[in-house]
Amino acid sequence: MKQTKIIAIGQGGGPTSVINDEVAGALYEAKLTGAKVYALMNGLEGLLHANVPGNIVDITDWEPAHVRAAPGAILGTTRIQLKIK
């Protein structure tokens, strides 16, 4: 049985539209391989609160051109850092 590849994308730091180009590129390549793509909305915060609806979003069907044209950071962002003990 063939397994579907899954990619998760999130970002942190400054919410610039330049990141959208990277998201669009990853989405484009994922479409070529048939992978599913999930967005970690608001980066690490979205991942840490994955149980909250809307924090993990299936973006497999998003068009890379629309992602590139979006103002700001399409996936949102966060500046929190993990505390490692």
Side-chain angles (χ1 to χ4, degrees), residues 26-43:
L27 192 55
Y28 175 82
E29 291 296 323
K31 286 178 179 286
L32 294 178
T33 66
K36 301 254 330 151
V37 183
Y38 290 90
L40 310 175
M41 302 305 289
N42 300 310

Side-chain angles (χ1 to χ4, degrees), residues 31-75:
K31 286 178 179 286
L32 294 178
T33 66
K36 301 254 330 151
V37 183
Y38 290 90
L40 310 175
M41 302 305 289
N42 300 310
L44 185 55
E45 287 184 77
L47 180 60
L48 293 174
H49 303 286
N51 60 321
V52 176
N55 280 348
I56 307 295
V57 178
D58 183 349
I59 65 169
T60 304
D61 293 331
W62 286 14
E63 288 300 322
H66 293 143
V67 171
R68 289 190 74 210
I74 197 165
L75 303 183

